[in-house]
CSV table of all heavy atoms in Angstrom, one decimal:
chain,number,residue,atom,x,y,z
A,49,ALA,N,52.3,113.4,93.9
A,49,ALA,CA,51.8,114.0,92.7
A,49,ALA,C,52.8,113.9,91.5
A,49,ALA,O,52.3,113.7,90.4
A,49,ALA,CB,51.4,115.5,92.9
A,63,LYS,N,50.1,95.7,70.9
A,63,LYS,CA,49.5,94.4,70.6
A,63,LYS,C,49.8,94.0,69.2
A,63,LYS,O,50.1,94.8,68.3
A,63,LYS,CB,48.0,94.4,70.9
A,63,LYS,CG,47.6,94.7,72.4
A,63,LYS,CD,46.1,94.7,72.6
A,63,LYS,CE,45.9,94.9,74.2
A,63,LYS,NZ,44.4,94.9,74.4
A,80,GLN,N,55.0,88.4,75.0
A,80,GLN,CA,54.2,87.9,76.1
A,80,GLN,C,53.7,86.5,75.8
A,80,GLN,O,53.7,85.6,76.7
A,80,GLN,CB,53.0,88.8,76.4
A,80,GLN,CG,52.3,88.5,77.7
A,80,GLN,CD,51.2,89.5,77.9
A,80,GLN,OE1,50.3,89.7,77.1
A,80,GLN,NE2,51.1,90.1,79.1
A,104,VAL,N,72.6,79.8,63.4
A,104,VAL,CA,72.1,79.4,64.8
A,104,VAL,C,72.8,78.1,65.2
A,104,VAL,O,72.9,77.3,64.4
A,104,VAL,CB,70.5,79.1,64.8
A,104,VAL,CG1,70.1,78.7,66.1
A,104,VAL,CG2,69.8,80.3,64.2
A,108,ARG,N,78.1,73.5,73.4
A,108,ARG,CA,78.3,72.7,74.5
A,108,ARG,C,79.6,73.0,75.1
A,108,ARG,O,80.6,72.8,74.5
A,108,ARG,CB,78.1,71.2,74.2
A,108,ARG,CG,76.7,70.8,73.8
A,108,ARG,CD,76.6,69.4,73.4
A,108,ARG,NE,75.3,69.0,73.0
A,108,ARG,CZ,74.9,67.8,72.6
A,108,ARG,NH1,75.8,66.8,72.5
A,108,ARG,NH2,73.7,67.6,72.1
A,247,ASN,N,71.2,108.8,73.6
A,247,ASN,CA,70.6,109.2,72.3
A,247,ASN,C,69.5,108.2,71.9
A,247,ASN,O,68.7,108.6,71.0
A,247,ASN,CB,71.7,109.3,71.3
A,247,ASN,CG,72.7,110.4,71.5
A,247,ASN,OD1,72.4,111.4,72.1
A,247,ASN,ND2,73.9,110.2,71.0
A,269,SER,N,73.5,90.0,94.7
A,269,SER,CA,73.3,89.4,93.4
A,269,SER,C,74.5,89.6,92.6
A,269,SER,O,75.4,90.4,92.9
A,269,SER,CB,72.0,90.0,92.8
A,269,SER,OG,70.8,89.7,93.5
A,290,VAL,N,64.1,95.5,88.2
A,290,VAL,CA,64.3,95.6,89.7
A,290,VAL,C,63.0,95.7,90.5
A,290,VAL,O,63.0,95.9,91.7
A,290,VAL,CB,65.2,96.9,90.0
A,290,VAL,CG1,66.6,96.6,89.5
A,290,VAL,CG2,64.6,98.1,89.4
A,443,ILE,N,61.9,107.8,108.2
A,443,ILE,CA,61.9,109.2,107.6
A,443,ILE,C,61.6,110.3,108.6
A,443,ILE,O,62.3,111.3,108.7
A,443,ILE,CB,61.1,109.2,106.3
A,443,ILE,CG1,61.6,108.3,105.3
A,443,ILE,CG2,61.0,110.6,105.8
A,443,ILE,CD1,60.7,108.2,104.0
A,461,LYS,N,67.8,131.2,121.4
A,461,LYS,CA,68.8,132.2,121.3
A,461,LYS,C,68.4,133.5,121.9
A,461,LYS,O,67.2,133.8,121.8
A,461,LYS,CB,69.4,132.3,119.9
A,461,LYS,CG,68.4,133.0,119.0
A,461,LYS,CD,69.0,133.2,117.6
A,461,LYS,CE,67.9,133.8,116.7
A,461,LYS,NZ,67.4,135.1,117.1
A,507,PHE,N,71.6,124.1,92.8
A,507,PHE,CA,70.3,124.8,92.9
A,507,PHE,C,70.3,125.7,94.1
A,507,PHE,O,69.7,126.8,94.1
A,507,PHE,CB,69.2,123.8,93.0
A,507,PHE,CG,68.8,123.2,91.7
A,507,PHE,CD1,69.4,122.0,91.3
A,507,PHE,CD2,67.9,123.8,90.8
A,507,PHE,CE1,69.1,121.5,90.0
A,507,PHE,CE2,67.6,123.3,89.6
A,507,PHE,CZ,68.2,122.1,89.2
A,572,ALA,N,69.6,103.7,107.2
A,572,ALA,CA,70.7,104.6,106.7
A,572,ALA,C,70.2,105.3,105.4
A,572,ALA,O,70.5,106.4,105.1
A,572,ALA,CB,71.9,103.8,106.5
A,700,LYS,N,78.2,78.7,109.5
A,700,LYS,CA,78.1,78.7,111.0
A,700,LYS,C,76.8,79.2,111.5
A,700,LYS,O,76.5,79.1,112.7
A,700,LYS,CB,79.3,79.6,111.5
A,700,LYS,CG,80.7,79.0,111.2
A,700,LYS,CD,81.8,79.8,111.7
A,700,LYS,CE,83.2,79.2,111.4
A,700,LYS,NZ,84.3,80.0,111.9
A,778,GLU,N,86.6,75.0,98.3
A,778,GLU,CA,85.3,74.5,97.8
A,778,GLU,C,85.4,74.4,96.2
A,778,GLU,O,85.8,75.4,95.6
A,778,GLU,CB,84.1,75.3,98.2
A,778,GLU,CG,82.8,74.9,97.6
A,778,GLU,CD,81.7,75.8,97.9
A,778,GLU,OE1,81.9,76.9,98.6
A,778,GLU,OE2,80.5,75.6,97.5
A,779,VAL,N,85.0,73.3,95.7
A,779,VAL,CA,84.9,73.1,94.2
A,779,VAL,C,83.4,72.8,93.9
A,779,VAL,O,82.9,71.8,94.5
A,779,VAL,CB,85.8,72.1,93.7
A,779,VAL,CG1,85.6,71.9,92.2
A,779,VAL,CG2,87.2,72.4,94.0
A,799,ASP,N,105.5,67.5,104.8
A,799,ASP,CA,106.8,67.9,105.3
A,799,ASP,C,107.7,66.6,105.5
A,799,ASP,O,108.9,66.6,105.3
A,799,ASP,CB,106.7,68.7,106.5
A,799,ASP,CG,106.1,70.1,106.3
A,799,ASP,OD1,106.1,70.5,105.1
A,799,ASP,OD2,105.6,70.7,107.2
A,818,SER,N,66.8,69.0,90.6
A,818,SER,CA,65.8,68.9,89.5
A,818,SER,C,64.4,68.7,90.1
A,818,SER,O,64.2,67.9,91.1
A,818,SER,CB,66.1,67.8,88.6
A,818,SER,OG,65.1,67.5,87.7
Side-chain angles (χ1 to χ4, degrees):
K63 298 183 178 179
Q80 190 180 51
V104 182
R108 294 179 180 177
N247 292 335
S269 294
V290 293
I443 295 176
K461 66 176 178 63
F507 285 90
K700 294 180 181 180
E778 179 184 1
V779 178
D799 295 341
S818 169

